[in-house]
Amino acid sequence: MRHIRVISPPERTAAVLDILRSRPGVTHITLAPGGSIEPSGDVIGADVTREAAHRVLQGLEALGIPADGAVTVASLDTVLSAAADEVERAVPGDPSDAVVWEELTARTREESTLNVTFLAFLVLAVMLAAVGVVTNSPVTVVGAMVVGPEFGPLAAIAVALATRRPHFALRPSIALLVGFPVAMACTWIGAELALAADLYPEDVLASAAQVDFIYRVGPFSLIVALLAGAAGMISMVTAKSAALVGVFISVTTVPAAGYAVVAATVGDWHRALESTAQLGVNLVGIVVAGFLVLALRPAAWRDMREQVGL
């Protein structure tokens, strides 16, 4: 369930209560008149099932509450209440199949902003991948996959396409288009310094058989990207973080970037281009799979149409 807390101007409190009382899946409604100091207003709380949360939030947005007050949503891990059990049974569908679009959009937006933290993680991940290539260490490559933050922007692009709001894809696209070149440039500098210091030979790729899978583009490259992208989007929708870690380990976006840098450093342009192609295949595949997951979920499709006013 979700706990929705509303700070409402007093003149709209009755309308907010009407929305909460009229929507199925809402219980534990509370009211504290004048309970908020900044912004000033009444504080209203309610527990809402996942299946009903999107429609409740739509109603609050239609009242203009976010403009003059505030709406916050928190996840409730444990609810011991007969009333909550009753509203769960009254709302059709399973909570795991419900999509709270506002929550999903906010989460992907937060994780897809180009900032120092995002760049730092991406630079470190690509550098780790490059070290994994020159040391022929799949374990290090897997570590780079986990550190990489690129799934957030890819998921945000998929959500923007699924909700037919392509302008929302601009921010994550910038994060990827700027982030990867910056990370690869930093890794290239480090690789050149390591090569000059004789930390690895120019024929290093000849003995890197354990990580050859990174640059070899084939049908399974797209298949893995599609499967991982689908699993990643499902894990984001259902808030299953453990599954999301498994997705990171499945996708060779960051390793492909690191391999391309090492290959370019030693003059193996054929493998560098193949690794870059592998990077592109994985990026596109993840976005396509994420979009399909959102579009093909029956409950999600219904909510998505309402979200964009269809």
Side-chain angles (χ1 to χ4, degrees):
M1 296 192 75
R2 297 293 184 269
H3 178 73
I4 296 180
R5 179 175 179 269
V6 182
I7 298 177
S8 170
E11 65 272 14
R12 266 176 276 177
T13 297
V16 171
L17 291 173
D18 286 342
I19 288 176
L20 296 176
R21 288 178 179 135
S22 64
R23 297 296 197 275
V26 182
T27 188
H28 305 157
I29 301 173
T30 60
L31 171 63
S36 176
I37 297 174
E38 181 59 42
S40 62
D42 301 331
V43 177
I44 307 164
D47 294 339
V48 186
T49 63
R50 276 178 58 95
E51 305 95 309
H54 171 63
R55 290 177 177 81
V56 170
L57 292 172
Q58 272 191 320
L60 296 175
E61 289 175 358
L63 286 178
I65 299 299
D68 302 323
V71 179
T72 59
V73 183
S75 178
L76 300 177
D77 296 327
T78 304
V79 179
L80 303 177
S81 166
D85 294 340
E86 184 178 346
V87 296
E88 284 277 11
R89 290 191 294 268
V91 178
D94 188 271
S96 297
D97 293 332
V99 177
V100 184
W101 287 98
E102 293 81 2
E103 190 175 69
L104 180 61
T105 301
R107 184 178 179 188
T108 54
R109 185 179 180 85
E110 179 183 353
E111 297 179 1
S112 63
T113 302
L114 180 65
N115 51 37
V116 174
T117 301
F118 177 85
L119 284 176
F121 273 115
L122 192 56
V123 169
L124 292 173
V126 176
M127 286 185 168
L128 275 173
V131 171
V133 171
V134 299
T135 58
N136 194 28
S137 171
V139 174
T140 306
V141 170
V142 169
M145 293 176 177
V146 176
V147 172
E150 74 279 7
F151 186 79
L154 295 172
I157 293 173
V159 171
L161 296 177
T163 55
R164 299 188 184 183
R165 296 182 292 185
H167 58 284
F168 279 12
L170 180 60
R171 179 191 297 235
S173 297
I174 291 175
L176 293 172
L177 292 174
V178 173
F180 269 105
V182 169
M184 293 174 74
C186 292
T187 304
W188 177 77
I189 294 173
E192 288 286 1
L193 292 174
L195 187 62
D198 202 26
L199 294 181
Y200 66 91
E202 291 194 3
D203 61 348
V204 64
L205 297 182
S207 58
Q210 294 284 344
V211 293
D212 278 354
F213 70 93
I214 295 174
Y215 78 91
R216 288 178 176 167
V217 182
F220 282 103
S221 299
L222 180 59
I223 291 173
V224 170
L226 290 173
L227 293 176
M233 185 55 71
I234 292 173
S235 70
M236 291 200 76
V237 169
T238 57
K240 302 292 185 182
S241 58
L244 196 57
V245 173
V247 171
F248 295 157
I249 300 175
S250 304
V251 185
T252 55
T253 47
V254 162
Y259 198 107
V261 171
V262 174
T265 303
V266 299
D268 192 337
W269 294 104
H270 177 71
R271 292 193 183 188
L273 290 175
E274 280 194 286
S275 299
T276 305
Q278 178 81 281
L279 173 62
V281 167
N282 277 274
L283 294 176
V284 173
I286 292 171
V287 171
V288 170
F291 168 80
L292 291 176
V293 164
L294 294 174
L296 296 179
R297 291 162 64 91
W301 177 245
R302 182 185 63 242
D303 289 344
M304 181 175 66
R305 291 174 64 85
E306 294 179 0
Q307 171 78 6
V308 297
L310 296 180

mmCIF file of all heavy atoms in Angstrom, residues 126-162:
data_model
loop_
_atom_site.group_PDB
_atom_site.id
_atom_site.type_symbol
_atom_site.label_atom_id
_atom_site.label_comp_id
_atom_site.label_asym_id
_atom_site.label_seq_id
_atom_site.Cartn_x
_atom_site.Cartn_y
_atom_site.Cartn_z
ATOM 1 N N VAL A 126 33.333 2.573 -16.079
ATOM 2 C CA VAL A 126 34.041 2.332 -17.345
ATOM 3 C C VAL A 126 35.516 2.043 -17.077
ATOM 4 O O VAL A 126 36.128 1.177 -17.722
ATOM 5 C CB VAL A 126 33.869 3.534 -18.301
ATOM 6 C CG1 VAL A 126 34.689 3.330 -19.575
ATOM 7 C CG2 VAL A 126 32.397 3.713 -18.663
ATOM 8 N N MET A 127 36.106 2.751 -16.114
ATOM 9 C CA MET A 127 37.500 2.471 -15.755
ATOM 10 C C MET A 127 37.660 1.061 -15.190
ATOM 11 O O MET A 127 38.621 0.345 -15.526
ATOM 12 C CB MET A 127 38.001 3.502 -14.746
ATOM 13 C CG MET A 127 38.288 4.867 -15.342
ATOM 14 S SD MET A 127 39.018 6.004 -14.126
ATOM 15 C CE MET A 127 39.546 7.340 -15.199
ATOM 16 N N LEU A 128 36.726 0.637 -14.346
ATOM 17 C CA LEU A 128 36.761 -0.727 -13.824
ATOM 18 C C LEU A 128 36.662 -1.744 -14.957
ATOM 19 O O LEU A 128 37.354 -2.772 -14.960
ATOM 20 C CB LEU A 128 35.612 -0.940 -12.837
ATOM 21 C CG LEU A 128 35.843 -0.527 -11.391
ATOM 22 C CD1 LEU A 128 34.547 -0.650 -10.597
ATOM 23 C CD2 LEU A 128 36.932 -1.375 -10.752
ATOM 24 N N ALA A 129 35.790 -1.453 -15.916
ATOM 25 C CA ALA A 129 35.646 -2.352 -17.056
ATOM 26 C C ALA A 129 36.947 -2.445 -17.845
ATOM 27 O O ALA A 129 37.353 -3.533 -18.280
ATOM 28 C CB ALA A 129 34.517 -1.871 -17.963
ATOM 29 N N ALA A 130 37.616 -1.307 -18.034
ATOM 30 C CA ALA A 130 38.890 -1.305 -18.758
ATOM 31 C C ALA A 130 39.940 -2.124 -18.014
ATOM 32 O O ALA A 130 40.703 -2.884 -18.621
ATOM 33 C CB ALA A 130 39.374 0.127 -18.964
ATOM 34 N N VAL A 131 39.974 -1.997 -16.687
ATOM 35 C CA VAL A 131 40.902 -2.797 -15.890
ATOM 36 C C VAL A 131 40.568 -4.280 -16.035
ATOM 37 O O VAL A 131 41.466 -5.132 -16.146
ATOM 38 C CB VAL A 131 40.841 -2.378 -14.409
ATOM 39 C CG1 VAL A 131 41.644 -3.341 -13.544
ATOM 40 C CG2 VAL A 131 41.369 -0.960 -14.239
ATOM 41 N N GLY A 132 39.273 -4.601 -16.055
ATOM 42 C CA GLY A 132 38.876 -5.984 -16.252
ATOM 43 C C GLY A 132 39.316 -6.541 -17.577
ATOM 44 O O GLY A 132 39.674 -7.719 -17.696
ATOM 45 N N VAL A 133 39.330 -5.682 -18.604
ATOM 46 C CA VAL A 133 39.772 -6.119 -19.933
ATOM 47 C C VAL A 133 41.272 -6.375 -19.951
ATOM 48 O O VAL A 133 41.732 -7.426 -20.411
ATOM 49 C CB VAL A 133 39.388 -5.069 -20.997
ATOM 50 C CG1 VAL A 133 40.024 -5.408 -22.345
ATOM 51 C CG2 VAL A 133 37.865 -4.991 -21.139
ATOM 52 N N VAL A 134 42.059 -5.439 -19.450
ATOM 53 C CA VAL A 134 43.519 -5.589 -19.525
ATOM 54 C C VAL A 134 44.026 -6.677 -18.592
ATOM 55 O O VAL A 134 45.099 -7.249 -18.808
ATOM 56 C CB VAL A 134 44.235 -4.248 -19.222
ATOM 57 C CG1 VAL A 134 43.833 -3.186 -20.232
ATOM 58 C CG2 VAL A 134 43.953 -3.779 -17.810
ATOM 59 N N THR A 135 43.256 -7.005 -17.540
ATOM 60 C CA THR A 135 43.670 -8.079 -16.634
ATOM 61 C C THR A 135 42.961 -9.394 -16.947
ATOM 62 O O THR A 135 43.172 -10.387 -16.246
ATOM 63 C CB THR A 135 43.380 -7.695 -15.168
ATOM 64 O OG1 THR A 135 41.979 -7.423 -15.018
ATOM 65 C CG2 THR A 135 44.185 -6.474 -14.768
ATOM 66 N N ASN A 136 42.115 -9.371 -17.978
ATOM 67 C CA ASN A 136 41.381 -10.573 -18.384
ATOM 68 C C ASN A 136 40.583 -11.134 -17.212
ATOM 69 O O ASN A 136 40.582 -12.338 -16.950
ATOM 70 C CB ASN A 136 42.348 -11.634 -18.925
ATOM 71 C CG ASN A 136 41.626 -12.760 -19.662
ATOM 72 O OD1 ASN A 136 40.541 -12.561 -20.221
ATOM 73 N ND2 ASN A 136 42.209 -13.941 -19.656
ATOM 74 N N SER A 137 39.897 -10.228 -16.494
ATOM 75 C CA SER A 137 39.197 -10.602 -15.266
ATOM 76 C C SER A 137 37.692 -10.396 -15.400
ATOM 77 O O SER A 137 37.198 -9.263 -15.287
ATOM 78 C CB SER A 137 39.725 -9.768 -14.092
ATOM 79 O OG SER A 137 38.931 -9.964 -12.943
ATOM 80 N N PRO A 138 36.929 -11.465 -15.633
ATOM 81 C CA PRO A 138 35.469 -11.332 -15.691
ATOM 82 C C PRO A 138 34.870 -10.803 -14.394
ATOM 83 O O PRO A 138 33.849 -10.117 -14.411
ATOM 84 C CB PRO A 138 34.996 -12.765 -15.976
ATOM 85 C CG PRO A 138 36.164 -13.462 -16.570
ATOM 86 C CD PRO A 138 37.369 -12.843 -15.924
ATOM 87 N N VAL A 139 35.506 -11.126 -13.262
ATOM 88 C CA VAL A 139 34.993 -10.649 -11.973
ATOM 89 C C VAL A 139 35.015 -9.130 -11.908
ATOM 90 O O VAL A 139 34.058 -8.485 -11.457
ATOM 91 C CB VAL A 139 35.811 -11.250 -10.817
ATOM 92 C CG1 VAL A 139 35.372 -10.651 -9.486
ATOM 93 C CG2 VAL A 139 35.665 -12.763 -10.787
ATOM 94 N N THR A 140 36.098 -8.534 -12.386
ATOM 95 C CA THR A 140 36.199 -7.073 -12.389
ATOM 96 C C THR A 140 35.190 -6.464 -13.344
ATOM 97 O O THR A 140 34.593 -5.415 -13.060
ATOM 98 C CB THR A 140 37.621 -6.636 -12.791
ATOM 99 O OG1 THR A 140 38.568 -7.281 -11.938
ATOM 100 C CG2 THR A 140 37.783 -5.129 -12.663
ATOM 101 N N VAL A 141 34.964 -7.134 -14.477
ATOM 102 C CA VAL A 141 33.971 -6.656 -15.437
ATOM 103 C C VAL A 141 32.576 -6.671 -14.813
ATOM 104 O O VAL A 141 31.790 -5.738 -14.989
ATOM 105 C CB VAL A 141 34.006 -7.513 -16.717
ATOM 106 C CG1 VAL A 141 32.822 -7.176 -17.623
ATOM 107 C CG2 VAL A 141 35.306 -7.289 -17.458
ATOM 108 N N VAL A 142 32.259 -7.736 -14.083
ATOM 109 C CA VAL A 142 30.966 -7.815 -13.399
ATOM 110 C C VAL A 142 30.837 -6.686 -12.384
ATOM 111 O O VAL A 142 29.772 -6.068 -12.243
ATOM 112 C CB VAL A 142 30.799 -9.188 -12.716
ATOM 113 C CG1 VAL A 142 29.580 -9.175 -11.795
ATOM 114 C CG2 VAL A 142 30.652 -10.281 -13.755
ATOM 115 N N GLY A 143 31.914 -6.392 -11.670
ATOM 116 C CA GLY A 143 31.892 -5.270 -10.742
ATOM 117 C C GLY A 143 31.580 -3.962 -11.438
ATOM 118 O O GLY A 143 30.828 -3.130 -10.916
ATOM 119 N N ALA A 144 32.141 -3.777 -12.626
ATOM 120 C CA ALA A 144 31.860 -2.563 -13.397
ATOM 121 C C ALA A 144 30.391 -2.487 -13.791
ATOM 122 O O ALA A 144 29.778 -1.414 -13.785
ATOM 123 C CB ALA A 144 32.743 -2.528 -14.643
ATOM 124 N N MET A 145 29.806 -3.651 -14.125
ATOM 125 C CA MET A 145 28.385 -3.683 -14.488
ATOM 126 C C MET A 145 27.506 -3.209 -13.333
ATOM 127 O O MET A 145 26.536 -2.474 -13.531
ATOM 128 C CB MET A 145 27.979 -5.102 -14.886
ATOM 129 C CG MET A 145 28.614 -5.619 -16.161
ATOM 130 S SD MET A 145 28.138 -7.349 -16.431
ATOM 131 C CE MET A 145 28.915 -7.687 -18.015
ATOM 132 N N VAL A 146 27.853 -3.634 -12.123
ATOM 133 C CA VAL A 146 27.048 -3.278 -10.952
ATOM 134 C C VAL A 146 27.171 -1.792 -10.637
ATOM 135 O O VAL A 146 26.193 -1.128 -10.262
ATOM 136 C CB VAL A 146 27.457 -4.126 -9.738
ATOM 137 C CG1 VAL A 146 26.697 -3.691 -8.489
ATOM 138 C CG2 VAL A 146 27.217 -5.609 -10.014
ATOM 139 N N VAL A 147 28.367 -1.245 -10.793
ATOM 140 C CA VAL A 147 28.605 0.168 -10.460
ATOM 141 C C VAL A 147 27.931 1.105 -11.462
ATOM 142 O O VAL A 147 27.481 2.200 -11.095
ATOM 143 C CB VAL A 147 30.123 0.442 -10.408
ATOM 144 C CG1 VAL A 147 30.405 1.936 -10.251
ATOM 145 C CG2 VAL A 147 30.758 -0.324 -9.258
ATOM 146 N N GLY A 148 27.827 0.691 -12.715
ATOM 147 C CA GLY A 148 27.304 1.560 -13.761
ATOM 148 C C GLY A 148 25.903 2.082 -13.470
ATOM 149 O O GLY A 148 25.012 1.312 -13.102
ATOM 150 N N PRO A 149 25.647 3.392 -13.639
ATOM 151 C CA PRO A 149 24.347 3.981 -13.334
ATOM 152 C C PRO A 149 23.473 4.188 -14.564
ATOM 153 O O PRO A 149 22.483 4.917 -14.510
ATOM 154 C CB PRO A 149 24.751 5.341 -12.749
ATOM 155 C CG PRO A 149 25.942 5.724 -13.574
ATOM 156 C CD PRO A 149 26.664 4.428 -13.920
ATOM 157 N N GLU A 150 23.818 3.561 -15.684
ATOM 158 C CA GLU A 150 23.165 3.895 -16.951
ATOM 159 C C GLU A 150 21.741 3.384 -17.082
ATOM 160 O O GLU A 150 20.980 3.867 -17.938
ATOM 161 C CB GLU A 150 24.009 3.386 -18.126
ATOM 162 C CG GLU A 150 23.980 1.889 -18.372
ATOM 163 C CD GLU A 150 24.906 1.112 -17.451
ATOM 164 O OE1 GLU A 150 25.480 1.711 -16.515
ATOM 165 O OE2 GLU A 150 25.049 -0.100 -17.674
ATOM 166 N N PHE A 151 21.331 2.403 -16.250
ATOM 167 C CA PHE A 151 19.982 1.880 -16.419
ATOM 168 C C PHE A 151 18.920 2.931 -16.076
ATOM 169 O O PHE A 151 17.845 2.929 -16.673
ATOM 170 C CB PHE A 151 19.769 0.626 -15.564
ATOM 171 C CG PHE A 151 18.432 -0.024 -15.819
ATOM 172 C CD1 PHE A 151 18.248 -0.821 -16.936
ATOM 173 C CD2 PHE A 151 17.362 0.189 -14.971
ATOM 174 C CE1 PHE A 151 17.020 -1.402 -17.200
ATOM 175 C CE2 PHE A 151 16.124 -0.385 -15.220
ATOM 176 C CZ PHE A 151 15.956 -1.195 -16.341
ATOM 177 N N GLY A 152 19.206 3.817 -15.128
ATOM 178 C CA GLY A 152 18.237 4.847 -14.761
ATOM 179 C C GLY A 152 17.811 5.705 -15.949
ATOM 180 O O GLY A 152 16.607 5.839 -16.216
ATOM 181 N N PRO A 153 18.743 6.312 -16.689
ATOM 182 C CA PRO A 153 18.349 7.094 -17.861
ATOM 183 C C PRO A 153 17.640 6.272 -18.926
ATOM 184 O O PRO A 153 16.699 6.747 -19.569
ATOM 185 C CB PRO A 153 19.688 7.632 -18.382
ATOM 186 C CG PRO A 153 20.581 7.636 -17.205
ATOM 187 C CD PRO A 153 20.166 6.459 -16.379
ATOM 188 N N LEU A 154 18.078 5.025 -19.136
ATOM 189 C CA LEU A 154 17.425 4.175 -20.139
ATOM 190 C C LEU A 154 15.975 3.898 -19.740
ATOM 191 O O LEU A 154 15.075 3.935 -20.585
ATOM 192 C CB LEU A 154 18.199 2.867 -20.290
ATOM 193 C CG LEU A 154 19.621 2.997 -20.851
ATOM 194 C CD1 LEU A 154 20.348 1.666 -20.779
ATOM 195 C CD2 LEU A 154 19.588 3.504 -22.287
ATOM 196 N N ALA A 155 15.739 3.625 -18.453
ATOM 197 C CA ALA A 155 14.375 3.408 -17.977
ATOM 198 C C ALA A 155 13.544 4.681 -18.115
ATOM 199 O O ALA A 155 12.360 4.626 -18.465
ATOM 200 C CB ALA A 155 14.397 2.948 -16.521
ATOM 201 N N ALA A 156 14.148 5.826 -17.862
ATOM 202 C CA ALA A 156 13.422 7.096 -17.988
ATOM 203 C C ALA A 156 12.996 7.342 -19.433
ATOM 204 O O ALA A 156 11.897 7.840 -19.689
ATOM 205 C CB ALA A 156 14.301 8.239 -17.493
ATOM 206 N N ILE A 157 13.847 7.002 -20.382
ATOM 207 C CA ILE A 157 13.490 7.151 -21.795
ATOM 208 C C ILE A 157 12.322 6.238 -22.136
ATOM 209 O O ILE A 157 11.380 6.633 -22.838
ATOM 210 C CB ILE A 157 14.709 6.852 -22.691
ATOM 211 C CG1 ILE A 157 15.785 7.914 -22.490
ATOM 212 C CG2 ILE A 157 14.290 6.802 -24.165
ATOM 213 C CD1 ILE A 157 17.085 7.614 -23.209
ATOM 214 N N ALA A 158 12.352 4.999 -21.640
ATOM 215 C CA ALA A 158 11.266 4.061 -21.899
ATOM 216 C C ALA A 158 9.949 4.574 -21.321
ATOM 217 O O ALA A 158 8.897 4.485 -21.968
ATOM 218 C CB ALA A 158 11.606 2.691 -21.312
ATOM 219 N N VAL A 159 9.985 5.140 -20.115
ATOM 220 C CA VAL A 159 8.778 5.682 -19.491
ATOM 221 C C VAL A 159 8.263 6.877 -20.293
ATOM 222 O O VAL A 159 7.052 7.018 -20.513
ATOM 223 C CB VAL A 159 9.063 6.090 -18.033
ATOM 224 C CG1 VAL A 159 7.878 6.858 -17.443
ATOM 225 C CG2 VAL A 159 9.357 4.863 -17.183
ATOM 226 N N ALA A 160 9.164 7.729 -20.750
ATOM 227 C CA ALA A 160 8.755 8.895 -21.543
ATOM 228 C C ALA A 160 8.062 8.461 -22.829
ATOM 229 O O ALA A 160 7.048 9.035 -23.233
ATOM 230 C CB ALA A 160 9.972 9.763 -21.864
ATOM 231 N N LEU A 161 8.583 7.427 -23.480
ATOM 232 C CA LEU A 161 7.968 6.929 -24.714
ATOM 233 C C LEU A 161 6.634 6.248 -24.423
ATOM 234 O O LEU A 161 5.671 6.411 -25.175
ATOM 235 C CB LEU A 161 8.918 5.950 -25.410
ATOM 236 C CG LEU A 161 10.242 6.547 -25.900
ATOM 237 C CD1 LEU A 161 11.123 5.453 -26.507
ATOM 238 C CD2 LEU A 161 9.992 7.653 -26.924
ATOM 239 N N ALA A 162 6.576 5.486 -23.319
ATOM 240 C CA ALA A 162 5.354 4.761 -22.989
ATOM 241 C C ALA A 162 4.207 5.703 -22.642
ATOM 242 O O ALA A 162 3.047 5.429 -22.942
ATOM 243 C CB ALA A 162 5.605 3.795 -21.836
#
